[in-house]
Amino acid sequence: MKEIKSIAALAARFSTLPGVGQKTALRYAYAVIDMTEDQVDAFCAALKEVKSSVKLCSVCGNFTDSDVCDICASRSAKKICVVSYPKDIAAIEKSGAFDGVYHVLHGTLSPMDNRTPDDLNIKSLLSRLSGVDEVIVATNPDVEGEATAVYLARLIKPLGVPVSRIAQGISMGSELEYADAVTLSQALYRRTSL
Ligand SMILES: [Zn+2]
């Protein structure tokens, strides 16, 4: 059977999404064919809306649809938990084990991929440190995450702010976003100073 161009094109779009293989992408494309016009319009509008309304919190770098995110606006900034990506905040929030604020680096240090400190949201972290009791580094427990944690500790500790690292309850090489709530809260609770 000759492939229908528009179906293949839509499937190719879906396959660019994380975790979507070619088979699933094709199933999604067929699902769109089964939608009503209204449903397709709503789908397109939701895509556009997310792109136009979601931006980065001017304080912490989390996703928000206002200038400052809900967490920064409502919590004490005595403890700052540093994460690599906004999705990591969602995972930690689900554990309910942390009641401070966050800071999103938007990446990790990686000499292999030429990602240097200048590529990460670090400068604004340093400008937030006055009056802070502790910085907890919750980057992934892999080589890049560890290197990032050590780098931050070297930078922040001389400024008189204690820096700690989440415990290795999360197994080495795994990703924070997939850790369950109990493991994450244990990792936070048993954090060690750097
Ligand atoms: Zn924020």
Side-chain angles (χ1 to χ4, degrees):
M1 193 178 96
K2 196 167 142 278
E3 110 181 321
I4 296 171
K5 259 191 193 150
S6 62
I7 298 177
L10 182 58
R13 293 279 163 204
F14 281 127
S15 69
T16 64
L17 297 173
V20 178
Q22 299 215 333
K23 240 181 177 173
T24 305
L26 199 56
R27 276 174 50 212
Y28 286 172
Y30 287 139
V32 171
I33 298 170
D34 285 337
M35 288 181 189
T36 64
E37 287 285 337
D38 284 351
Q39 284 170 329
V40 171
D41 287 345
F43 210 97
C44 294
L47 283 174
K48 292 226 173 219
E49 177 64 19
V50 136
K51 194 58 199 160
S52 66
S53 69
V54 177
K55 51 197 170 186
L56 302 183
C57 170
S58 61
V59 179
C60 73
N62 188 13
F63 291 143
T64 179
D65 54 7
S66 44
D67 179 44
V68 173
C69 77
D70 282 353
I71 295 174
C72 284
S74 63
R75 294 199 194 161
S76 155
K78 291 270 176 205
K79 277 184 204 155
I80 299 179
C81 180
V82 178
V83 295
S84 295
Y85 301 103
K87 63 188 177 189
D88 300 326
I89 294 184
I92 295 173
E93 284 296 291
K94 225 162 63 187
S95 81
F98 183 68
D99 61 359
V101 293
Y102 295 90
H103 191 87
V104 188
L105 298 173
H106 291 280
T108 44
L109 293 179
S110 174
M112 299 277 283
D113 298 324
N114 270 329
R115 270 201 314 276
T116 68
D118 287 341
D119 298 317
L120 304 182
N121 185 26
I122 291 177
K123 272 196 194 112
S124 67
L125 172 62
L126 300 181
S127 70
R128 296 176 69 189
L129 295 179
S130 89
V132 169
D133 290 340
E134 183 184 4
V135 170
I136 303 164
V137 185
T139 46
N140 282 334
D142 52 21
V143 176
E144 292 178 4
E146 292 302 324
T148 308
V150 169
Y151 176 82
L152 288 177
R154 275 197 203 134
L155 210 59
I156 294 170
K157 268 166 46 180
L159 305 174
V161 180
V163 181
S164 60
R165 175 91 176 101
I166 53 166
Q168 299 295 354
I170 307 167
S171 53
M172 191 74 184
S174 66
E175 286 183 34
L176 211 73
E177 65 166 318
Y178 300 119
D180 64 85
V182 177
T183 307
L184 255 180
S185 53
Q186 280 296 315
L188 268 165
Y189 183 68
R190 295 188 291 108
R191 62 186 182 269
T192 51
S193 69
L194 276 173

